[in-house]
Amino acid sequence: MTPILETRGISKSYAGIGALRDVAVQVGEGERVGLIGPNGAGKTTLFNCILGLLAPDAGSVRLAGDDITSLPVHLRARRGIGRSFQRIELFTESTVREHLLIAERVRRGNGSLWKDLLGRGRPKADELQACDAVLERLGLGELADEPIEQLSLGQGRLVEVGRALMTHPRILLLDEPSSGLDRQETADLAATLRDLQGEQGFAILLVEHDVEFVAAFTQRCYVLDFGTLIADGPTAEVLERAIVRESYLGSVKRDDL
Amino acid sequence: MVLATALGEDLSRAFLQGLPPGSVYALIAIGFVLAYKTSGVFNLAFGAQAYVSAALYFQARLEWGWGILPALLVSVFILAPVLGLILERLIFRHLRTSSSVAKLVVAIGLTVAIPSLFDVLVGFEPVAGQTPTGIIPGGASVFYQPVGVYAFSRDELMAMGVAVVVMLGLAALFRFSGIGLQMRAVVESPRMTELNGIQADRVSAFSWALSSVFAGLAGVLIAPRFNTLAAPDFFNLVVVAIAAAAVGRLISLPRALAGGLGLGVFIAFANTFLPEWALSYPILAPIQDNVAPAVPFLVLFALLVLWPAVRATKEQADPLSGVDPPPPSLASHERSAGLTVATRVFAVVFFLTVGLVVFTQADVSWLFLVTQSVILSTLFLSITVITGLAGQISLCQGSFAAIGGFTVFQLSDRYGMSVLVAALIGAAVAAACAALLSLPIRRLGGVWVAIATLAFAFFFDAVMVKLPWVGGGGTSLLQGTRVPRPTIGPWDLGNDKAFLVLALVVFVVASLAVIQIREGTTGRTLRALRGSELASQSIGISPARSRVMAFALSGFLAGLGGAMLTMHQENVNYTLNFSPFAALFWLVLVVSLGSRTVEGAAQAGAAYALFEAIVLRGAVFGWIFRNTDRIPGIFPISPKWRFIIFGLGTIQFARHPEGLVEFNTRRAHRRAEALMARLGRSRAASPPEPDAPVTEESVP
């Protein structure tokens, strides 16, 4: 079966210093995959190469078998790459519902200037319904009309997820979703994501610091260190391997002592 | 052989000729970079600061008969630093954590306000043709020829000498004093450096004073090159400085120095060789006079578009600036249904009354002003679109409007086309030009869009307007490019009242279109993009496409407004209506009154055309007392107060980006709602219900 997302031989260097060397990852349909590694391992660089924010020096990115390496960010998004942000990126001056609504409209391709001018640009009932259904599902129903500025960080992350869901993603890239959240909030987020994934069948690629979260949430994971993949396989196994403990978890343990 | 020597002589003469203005450009560029580095302010008002010192020097020498030294001392070494301190202390210090665009808007307001304020306070009146004098006796009449090919005037030698001394002094300051290092630290993050014990306020105040002295020096040195001492010339100067500073990516002082000198020499080359080439290539003839002054703008535009390093220069916003609360949503979205009805009824009654009075009572001159205000409101809707909706500062709306006006003129003049059709074509042409312009700058961030559009506005002003197929070329500009009023079937809009009706119809249609766009997908897309470009892309929005669309829309509205204005005045009147400096005031008006609503544009239009007549000339008192003889003696007040009041009005932009109109509407709504709640309570005599939060009744 073709993996939903695949990178082949991605390399990227900044000013001669290699940030990524020949990195190949695969995410299968409906899979939850983690990407871990110490700070500066190249996780964000890989992430940005997949999203199209950075152009890799070599290698290719494929979405469901199609080469998307040269597509701009927004076209990748339209093809089914949804994402959340480590430092949340929301649209100021908008309500919660408007965040989902704009994503819904872009997906449907309803945005033409002429339609706006003829007064057809206002939200339609079925669009609003679709947004409200997702908000309900995320437990944000009550907050639909709140200005986005009123929300807590955890709620903001949920809005990001909701916004990404409106694009009907085939894979959701989550960038450190637990940062800034406490344990309970993280667990709640993980539960919601797992449920949603069960219903809608999208895949998830998770970049995360919180090893516990990765262990509990993902089925498989990749470990990056100094721009190279040093391990991959079922999450539980990978986290047990000595090499991983040394490069990543080792430091955590030392700190604990 | 002879040819080669002649060429060599030309080259070296042009080189030497370029050095004196180049050193003044360098001074300005360095002063500009100093303020930018230490406060993150893209100080467009720098030219205004230079103007003030030059004007005071000029006034003291000529009017008050002071000697050179005292005049220089007061204008450059007292007035300039004091002005710098005032700007820093009263304005920019409080904006340190604001976005760079907010700071830019305030600086634009100051550009408009400061020269007028100075003129009013000192009683300075620029006299046409009275060339300012330099800071050395016989500056323009005594020449030296140290190298042989080019004779330097005393003024020019003085300019170069001052520049050298100042550079050495500055280098010493940075090398041997602690404050140089502190200045650099403050740039990174004022709040952070403060935590480290550096007094950011002191450093910032010091660099503003220093920067202002640079402005003053440059102003006094460059003034003898102008025929007349006028603020717009000094505004041009700051664009030259930005071009020079852009060579150093706005952060490197030595490169700004090199950039200034380089530009001076480059312009001198253009001045020397273009006329020769124009002899052999007649096609160059109409632009040869104008390319040289346009060089800085071309250089600036090219640098911005072609040199990624400039674009990549990090926006100097404080890393902690994200903690400021974002602007609130539109007041009209938050008001209750009852209040909405009340507001609409009031608006209809108000406008019917005003309309009735205007149509029955107004004489020719009032009718002219009212029509102008309606047309300008249409034009200002273009700023509502580009700045209010898309969040971009465009400083070339005047050029787009002029394109509309010139198109009407050309099509009706050459082909006898109906002016109304020509107006629509003009708007379309302006839209196309705006879209084209936005393509190369679509990836630029906030402040850079403003600067690139400003460069375009000056390029249009210096080159395009002079072309026969744009402005009519040569003399037609001066003689007035006449345009007839339209006729629609039986209606002859030569009648002023009929034309006012047309203007009103156009404005209403344009307003409805803007409202539809704001509430429709396009408006939502632009709002999303303004909120977060990254997140917008992540849901499939193409930033480039949306920006191009916003520019095209804005260009269309500006072109339409420009065409209407041209028909109304039966003339393009380019310099009066559409010059870059004039258009700067448009932005100031719209932004300080409200760039996000149609009401804001309408009030800005009214303010532009009517504020002077009604308020500054005291007509309002004439109406109140029903007798023009009883207008108090202090009227008429200088029309320059327009610029001062609205220019300074932009200062509140940083705190209330929604503008005065929105701010007051919101406050009025809150009061009205509180009042209605109280009335409702006392009438029902029921237990008080809690005040409903405003958002509960917002329109989705």
Side-chain angles (χ1 to χ4, degrees), chain B residues 14-41:
Chain B
F15 179 76
L16 294 175
Q17 194 185 0
L19 285 182
S23 35
V24 179
Y25 299 156
L27 275 182
I28 308 174
I30 286 179
F32 186 86
V33 171
L34 265 181
Y36 183 65
K37 278 184 77 152
T38 47
S39 59
V41 176

Side-chain angles (χ1 to χ4, degrees), chain B residues 147-349:
Chain B
V147 198
V149 278
Y150 180 70
F152 288 105
S153 73
R154 270 195 180 179
D155 275 340
E156 290 179 330
L157 287 178
M158 194 70 198
M160 292 191 288
V162 168
V164 168
V165 170
V166 165
M167 304 304 165
L168 289 178
L170 194 66
L173 179 83
F174 274 114
R175 171 149 290 199
F176 300 116
S177 79
I179 202 153
L181 184 66
Q182 293 184 2
M183 282 162 105
R184 254 179 286 162
V186 171
V187 184
E188 290 301 325
S189 171
R191 285 183 184 166
M192 292 296 182
T193 37
E194 228 151 51
L195 293 179
N196 284 331
I198 291 177
Q199 293 180 9
D201 287 349
R202 235 186 50 197
V203 175
S204 158
F206 176 78
S207 26
W208 268 86
L210 194 62
S211 154
S212 196
V213 169
F214 272 74
L217 260 181
V220 168
L221 288 175
I222 200 92
R225 301 181 70 87
F226 299 135
N227 288 328
T228 308
L229 205 60
D233 286 330
F234 286 84
F235 181 60
N236 289 13
L237 214 55
V238 78
V239 182
V240 178
I242 297 172
V247 173
R249 292 170 55 191
L250 289 180
I251 42 173
S252 156
L253 290 172
R255 285 210 208 169
L257 168 69
L261 286 174
L263 260 184
V265 170
F266 195 53
I267 293 172
F269 278 146
N271 274 331
T272 309
F273 293 108
L274 273 177
E276 291 176 21
W277 295 340
L279 285 181
S280 8
Y281 302 98
I283 196 168
L284 288 176
I287 48 172
Q288 63 113 341
D289 286 337
N290 309 301
V291 165
V295 161
F297 318 128
L298 290 171
V299 168
L300 180 57
F301 197 82
L303 277 178
L304 288 181
V305 171
L306 302 176
W307 195 23
V310 179
R311 277 182 269 153
T313 306
K314 137 179 104 108
E315 292 232 338
Q316 308 253 343
D318 192 301
L320 297 179
S321 62
V323 298
D324 291 332
S329 56
L330 290 180
S332 59
H333 283 186
E334 292 182 354
R335 68 186 166 201
S336 63
L339 199 53
T340 306
V341 172
T343 317
R344 286 193 184 149
V345 168
F346 176 77
V348 167
V349 171

Side-chain angles (χ1 to χ4, degrees), chain A residues 78 101-110, chain B residues 525 539-541:
Chain A
R78 286 191 200 168
L101 189 60
I102 180 67
E104 172 75 5
R105 307 220 78 183
V106 173
R107 182 179 62 78
R108 294 192 181 202
N110 269 352
Chain B
T525 311
I539 55 170
I541 293 174

Side-chain angles (χ1 to χ4, degrees), chain A residues 27 64 106 131 144 169 190 202 236 238 254:
Chain A
V27 182
V106 173
C131 297
F202 51 84
V238 167
R254 264 200 301 280

